[in-house]
Amino acid sequence: MQPHPTNYSTSTSRADQPAPANLLPRAVLRPNSYLLLDGSWHFAHDVDDQGLIHNWAQGHRYEHLAQWPGSVETHLREARGQQEGSTWQDKVVVWYEREFDRPTMDVPAARSMLQLTFGACGHETRVWLNGQLLKTIEGEEVHYGEYTSFTYELDAAALLPVNRLTVRIADTMDADLPRGKQESHVYKRGGIWYQTYTGAVRSVWLETVEQNRLRSRVGVVSEVEDQLVRFNLTLRLHDAGDYVIRLQVFDPTLPGDAPPLAASDFPLYMAAGQWQQRLVLEVPEARLWAPESPNRYRLVAQLIDANGYAARIETLFGLRKIEARGRHVYLNNQPVYLDGILYQPGEATYEEMQRHMHAMKALGCNLVRVHIAGIDPRIYNLADELGLLLWVEVPSPHSSTVRSRINHSAELLRMLTLSETHPSIIIWSLYNEDWGVQDIATNADTRQYIIDTYHFMQIAFPQFLVVDNDGWHHVSYTGRLKSDLLTAHLYTPDLGRWQELLDRLVRGELNGTAAYPLVVGDPFFYRHQVPLIVSEWGGFGFSDYGGPQDAGARTASISAFKQELRRRPIAGDVYTQATNIEDERNGLIDPHTGALSVPAGLLASGK
């Protein structure tokens, strides 16, 4: 296997030669070579969890092969010769192993090291190289979490001509873990709860990096009135010393030799370790990012050492501002109505998700609510490019305990750190319909966790709106909602009942409108001080799913219900849903081809 060629190059970018697509699941790019380790791996099901005891990492005979990336569930079915069906009900432990040749280094050896990255894997992952247990950059011998990437630094001198990589993955149906809509001990598969899909679910790769570098994490916060951009960078240093961070912003539509629109150097002394650094740059005459004009710029960031050597990363970003004020959501200081759709990608491939995104745009949506799921980060890039606003959510645990809240907080931080580059992401939900906070109405500790997390998000991530618990049971403290939006899930197939529910909502009737009271905690009185969003509605399948008789009748119902929404002072809505998934047969888009079953533009409400 040969390393892939450079995956992105700023020096050769031209307006008539678009940059190559990024093949790795991340937003930030490096001008280096990488070795993709996807493909056939040896595989074993550790039925009795004996692999650690018997030290399989030092050598084990594997009876099966499995394709990485792929799910544990698929690999177990294939190993057993099964076509379908559930593969585990409590705990699963599996092992993977493959060999790779020592790659060629494309950075001077004195400055470089190899970096091993898992795009996502878990929930519990251990990794060995040639029998030696590795630690992540954060110092973890065991990495917990299954929705975001994690990384190991390797000593190139320790690599052999042929190397052995061993991975142990363990997962359970523990309800305290962030699960989204995958089944657990609390919520069993069926209806709205799905087959688990875990394990080796995203690519793994080796790449050459500098010992002193900027990590592949860039946060972006815009102050559009002053054309300022705040970049939050992460530095990884093995050598203390004097450095310069050089930031340059380019217009990617101009020739590659065009001068930067903005540039500045920031000299600083840094100790060894990992550090966060916030830097601000003015970008004069910058065009803002919006659905109708998804303007983006290219940031090139360099860490320059005392000898003048520059380690570089780059990413595309957009300037945009989101705000909830009074009845409206404002994008770049202009009111915007959110024409949304609920999206549950499930086991869709990256190529299928690409087709889904284009189809949702064709439906007339300007917002996609990615429903409590971790997805390939390249989909965020595609939303940036298409001009689709995103509402993303933390995959929720299924129980409300101290441990579930610790897990929830850790997953939220991991997801935020690796997604705050994207102008398309405007809303984060902490919870949905009380899943993981079932005692929200009665437990002050549960509400306090939500209050504290909401305040943290306001300070640390002001580029996002935050919803505390989507659908109902929003938290009020001293009469202030701890959510930037007052959202309600309203389901009925009857148009008259629909009109009644919407009228109750806009009158501020908090009880008896949704399935549960809209607000809990301290008394709250709605007086148009927060935007109203009907964040789930519809769910119209065909007659065998409690809906209209045919596609034409469903189209008519959706159109009529949508008109009622726009006749009222509501700031946005989210139709349920984009594609069919398992038992939920109410999608508008073919999950494989992306074809629409209703007319294009159906969910667009106009200006």
Side-chain angles (χ1 to χ4, degrees):
M1 181 184 297
Q2 296 299 316
H4 286 253
T6 300
N7 56 337
Y8 197 79
S9 173
T10 58
S11 59
T12 59
S13 294
R14 292 169 51 92
D16 57 347
Q17 294 179 346
N22 183 26
L23 300 179
L24 301 180
R26 64 183 180 195
V28 177
L29 309 178
R30 293 182 182 279
N32 62 358
S33 296
Y34 61 89
L35 178 68
L36 197 62
L37 297 180
D38 292 354
S40 183
W41 289 57
H42 298 290
F43 172 75
H45 182 197
D46 190 355
V47 179
D48 299 316
D49 195 10
Q50 295 294 301
L52 290 175
I53 296 172
H54 296 295
N55 210 3
W56 286 11
Q58 299 303 318
H60 179 71
R61 183 176 176 272
Y62 292 83
E63 297 182 356
H64 304 286
L65 296 175
Q67 288 296 310
W68 190 312
S71 71
V72 165
E73 292 75 20
T74 299
H75 296 158
L76 287 175
R77 285 196 296 268
E78 292 172 347
R80 295 170 179 173
Q82 297 174 330
Q83 297 300 313
E84 56 184 26
S86 181
T87 53
W88 56 282
Q89 294 296 327
D90 183 19
K91 180 179 180 179
V92 62
V93 180
V94 294
W95 292 69
Y96 297 82
E97 189 169 279
R98 67 156 292 163
E99 293 181 342
F100 64 92
D101 295 338
R102 180 168 53 204
T104 302
M105 308 287 280
D106 58 354
V107 175
R111 304 180 186 275
S112 66
M113 61 175 50
L114 284 172
Q115 181 170 277
L116 172 68
T117 300
F118 289 75
C121 187
H123 172 74
E124 176 188 316
T125 307
R126 289 175 169 88
V127 179
W128 292 262
L129 178 65
N130 298 325
Q132 296 297 311
L133 182 64
L134 301 179
K135 291 184 180 180
T136 68
I137 289 181
E138 284 70 32
E140 308 163 309
E141 289 188 348
V142 183
H143 175 77
Y144 295 98
E146 58 185 283
Y147 303 103
T148 57
S149 64
F150 52 98
T151 297
Y152 303 87
E153 293 177 336
L154 308 181
D155 182 359
L159 289 178
L160 305 173
V162 178
N163 299 273
R164 181 168 50 90
L165 191 64
T166 309
V167 181
R168 177 187 183 271
I169 301 171
D171 205 351
T172 74
M173 291 192 180
D174 184 349
D176 281 345
L177 301 181
R179 308 202 63 85
K181 290 182 73 173
Q182 299 180 82
E183 66 175 321
S184 71
H185 294 312
V186 172
Y187 299 121
K188 295 299 184 179
R189 185 183 181 188
I192 67 168
W193 304 104
Y194 310 143
Q195 166 71 51
T196 53
Y197 182 79
T198 188
V201 295
R202 212 164 287 159
S203 292
V204 54
W205 65 93
L206 276 168
E207 62 185 316
T208 308
V209 297
E210 291 84 359
Q211 292 185 12
N212 304 305
R213 64 192 183 277
L214 297 165
R215 293 197 68 187
S216 299
R217 303 173 176 184
V218 179
V220 179
V221 180
S222 305
E223 297 179 18
V224 300
E225 295 85 356
D226 298 316
Q227 298 174 318
L228 294 176
V229 185
R230 187 181 86 197
F231 297 105
N232 299 321
L233 304 174
T234 302
L235 293 83
R236 174 65 172 169
L237 303 176
H238 286 262
D239 303 306
D242 292 311
Y243 293 89
V244 172
I245 298 178
R246 176 169 296 160
L247 300 184
Q248 296 172 298
V249 173
F250 296 88
D251 185 338
T253 66
L254 297 178
D257 57 357
L261 302 178
S264 189
D265 285 0
F266 303 86
L268 68 173
Y269 177 86
M270 300 295 292
Q274 181 160 290
W275 308 99
Q276 305 292 320
Q277 182 64 48
R278 176 182 298 179
L279 301 170
V280 178
L281 203 60
E282 184 177 6
V283 185
E285 301 181 8
R287 302 180 303 276
L288 302 184
W289 184 97
E292 62 277 8
S293 54
N295 300 302
R296 290 189 293 171
Y297 296 92
R298 180 159 55 89
L299 171 71
V300 176
Q302 299 176 74
L303 180 67
I304 305 171
D305 64 21
N307 297 316
Y309 181 83
R312 188 181 71 195
I313 60 172
E314 59 182 90
T315 191
L316 294 172
F317 72 96
L319 285 78
R320 69 107 179 100
K321 176 185 179 182
I322 195 72
E323 183 181 12
R325 177 163 37 91
R327 294 180 178 179
H328 301 289
V329 173
Y330 291 85
L331 179 64
N332 301 331
N333 296 318
Q334 299 296 319
V336 58
Y337 186 88
L338 301 178
D339 289 307
I341 190 167
L342 191 76
Y343 180 43
Q344 303 187 85
E347 298 184 24
T349 66
Y350 171 61
E351 290 73 22
E352 288 171 338
M353 286 191 284
Q354 287 179 298
R355 292 192 280 272
H356 299 164
M357 296 294 283
H358 284 278
M360 289 185 279
K361 182 84 172 180
L363 278 170
C365 298
N366 63 8
L367 173 77
V368 175
R369 182 177 164 215
V370 183
H371 194 33
I372 54 176
I375 62 172
D376 190 313
R378 289 174 292 182
I379 292 300
Y380 301 146
N381 289 337
L382 180 58
D384 293 343
E385 177 186 342
L386 294 178
L388 274 172
L389 302 167
L390 295 181
W391 178 340
V392 297
E393 305 173 325
V394 190
S396 59
H398 291 178
S399 62
S400 184
T401 65
V402 172
R403 182 167 170 261
S404 80
R405 290 190 281 275
I406 291 171
N407 292 332
H408 177 273
S409 178
E411 200 69 68
L412 171 65
L413 288 174
R414 284 191 291 264
M415 292 181 73
L416 283 163
T417 298
L418 295 171
S419 63
E420 59 171 330
T421 309
H422 303 283
S424 57
I425 301 177
I426 62 166
I427 303 171
W428 277 84
S429 281
L430 304 181
Y431 290 97
N432 176 78
E433 291 187 354
D434 301 355
W435 302 338
V437 285
Q438 292 90 333
D439 57 357
I440 189 172
T442 58
N443 189 337
D445 290 341
T446 298
R447 294 196 298 275
Q448 190 61 52
Y449 169 72
I450 290 174
I451 291 168
D452 292 343
T453 305
Y454 173 76
H455 289 163
F456 165 77
M457 292 284 288
Q458 282 189 313
I459 295 170
F461 300 96
Q463 67 269 47
F464 306 124
L465 301 179
V466 180
V467 176
D468 55 350
N469 177 45
D470 187 49
W472 49 70
H473 282 167
H474 298 281
V475 175
S476 171
Y477 178 73
T478 65
R480 181 186 174 187
L481 206 63
K482 296 304 172 181
S483 178
D484 293 321
L485 306 170
L486 182 55
T487 68
H489 294 177
L490 305 179
Y491 284 107
T492 177
D494 180 75
L495 183 59
R497 175 61 173 163
W498 179 243
Q499 294 166 329
E500 176 189 348
L501 291 175
L502 295 182
D503 287 339
R504 292 177 61 88
L505 180 66
V506 299
R507 287 196 300 264
E509 297 184 21
L510 304 180
N511 299 324
T513 300
Y516 296 95
L518 288 179
V519 179
V520 296
D522 294 342
F524 176 81
F525 303 94
Y526 175 73
R527 296 296 186 270
H528 307 146
Q529 72 270 42
V530 61
L532 297 175
I533 305 285
V534 181
S535 52
E536 288 187 27
W537 68 277
F540 302 141
F542 293 127
S543 56
D544 61 349
Y545 199 74
Q549 294 297 313
D550 54 35
R554 179 160 59 161
T555 297
S557 292
I558 292 172
S559 179
F561 276 55
K562 186 78 173 184
Q563 289 175 25
E564 294 299 330
L565 283 160
R566 291 313 313 270
R567 291 189 179 113
R568 291 164 175 80
I570 292 171
D573 67 85
V574 178
Y575 181 80
T576 304
Q577 63 183 325
T579 65
N580 294 342
I581 177 170
E582 297 201 16
D583 293 341
E584 293 193 75
R585 317 301 296 175
N586 51 13
L588 305 181
I589 301 167
D590 185 283
H592 302 297
T593 68
L596 301 182
S597 62
V598 296
L602 180 62
L603 295 179
S605 58
K607 301 297 182 183

